[in-house]
Amino acid sequence: MDDEEYLPLSWLSQADYCLRRAALLLNERVWVESSDTAKGRAEHERVHTQRVERRGDLVKLYENTVYSDELRLVGKCDCIEATRAENGCTIPAAEFPVKLYPIEYKHGSVRAEREYEIQLCAQAMCLEEMYHTQIAEGALFFITAHRRHTVALTEELRAAVRSTLQLLHQIRDDFAIPLASYSAKCKRCSLREYCMPKVKRTAKNYCEVLEREAKGEAEL
Ligand code: SF4
């Protein structure tokens, strides 16, 4: 892997959901569309095109690219609300100092899922580094329910971003695919048929058993 490789920000939420899923996406380039992923993508495409909207003291930036050299992370913010604030930061899209508020769009009903909060927090950390500012809060916006869920960007959440990112960089560096651990999440995972989380043996284990059986030392 390139030492300077920047990982896609959205993979943080995949990694928090399941590290094996993130590794399959990242290292084996597996993608299986499910009704959930298709619906989410369709809703995102409908809502998002890169643009800037200005109304008085509020500037809204949609699909804005964000990055962090410190975290080696790059991605997009679905929406950044930039509101006039005298002690705020300077951004190219606004002619006045602003306070930044990132919003991540999700489909489905309102739910406080940790992996979404980690993704949102990582976006905020990128914005803080880019514009030398502090961001205390952001929001998840659930498109179907048309509701906002505010998220406090606590030190604990920031630590979770760093530790998840460290795991993600590690599996990328090692090209590792962690073993499956079956849980309730597998039922909603679009990769479950590829992953086969209930199959306990790795291919290597399976071959070893076959080899032992051929020698009459083991039974399948
Ligand atoms: S099926 Fe389960 S273990 Fe496999 S990638 Fe999905 S969530 Fe992870």
Side-chain angles (χ1 to χ4, degrees):
M1 189 198 78
D2 178 352
D3 280 348
E4 293 305 315
E5 184 180 37
Y6 282 40
L7 294 182
L9 199 150
S10 59
W11 279 339
L12 274 172
S13 68
Q14 304 283 359
D16 188 67
Y17 186 82
C18 170
L19 198 57
R20 177 174 168 82
R21 180 179 164 88
L24 290 172
L25 293 169
L26 200 55
N27 292 338
E28 293 198 359
R29 304 285 173 195
V30 178
W31 178 252
V32 180
E33 190 82 295
S34 70
S35 60
D36 266 2
T37 58
K39 203 171 161 197
R41 199 164 39 75
E43 283 183 345
H44 255 81
E45 282 167 4
R46 218 170 35 241
V47 172
H48 302 291
T49 47
Q50 191 169 28
R51 65 190 189 279
V52 177
E53 291 176 1
R54 296 182 176 84
R55 200 181 313 148
D57 287 346
L58 175 66
V59 180
K60 284 189 179 185
L61 300 96
Y62 292 93
E63 289 293 294
N64 198 74
T65 299
V66 294
Y67 63 87
S68 163
D69 294 329
E70 189 203 326
L71 301 172
R72 284 196 289 143
L73 206 54
V74 65
K76 292 207 171 196
C77 272
D78 287 340
C79 177
I80 305 163
E81 287 184 351
T83 314
R84 184 191 284 270
E86 286 322 310
N87 57 353
C89 62
T90 307
I91 64 167
E95 289 163 358
F96 41 79
V98 291
K99 182 177 154 196
L100 301 178
Y101 193 94
I103 303 170
E104 171 68 14
Y105 286 69
K106 295 293 175 195
H107 78 96
S109 53
V110 178
R111 58 211 188 277
E113 300 214 11
R114 173 82 167 173
E115 68 263 24
Y116 296 164
E117 297 184 353
I118 283 180
Q119 185 181 353
L120 177 72
C121 187
Q123 291 169 359
M125 289 163 80
C126 289
L127 287 168
E128 287 177 340
E129 183 180 317
M130 287 169 72
Y131 298 115
H132 310 286
T133 188
Q134 292 292 311
I135 302 174
E137 191 182 283
L140 301 172
F141 181 77
F142 291 89
I143 300 170
T144 314
H146 209 73
R147 291 253 319 272
R148 264 191 196 193
H149 167 74
T150 56
V151 179
L153 306 175
T154 61
E155 278 311 314
E156 190 263 331
L157 195 54
R158 289 162 189 270
V161 169
R162 290 199 177 86
S163 59
T164 307
L165 189 59
Q166 198 175 6
L167 288 172
L168 205 50
H169 275 296
Q170 193 65 55
I171 58 168
R172 188 64 178 148
D173 288 348
D174 300 345
F175 280 95
I177 306 289
L179 290 177
S181 168
Y182 187 77
S183 74
K185 290 179 177 181
C186 300
K187 289 184 189 153
R188 291 190 286 123
C189 177
S190 61
L191 302 189
R192 67 183 175 281
E193 283 188 18
Y194 183 89
C195 165
M196 296 192 289
K198 286 186 175 173
V199 176
K200 296 290 180 203
R201 294 172 188 158
T202 62
K204 184 164 174 275
N205 293 151
Y206 187 71
C207 290
E208 284 169 1
V209 173
L210 278 179
E211 198 178 342
R212 288 213 308 279
E213 195 211 31
K215 289 178 187 167
E217 296 169 5
E219 286 185 9
L220 278 176

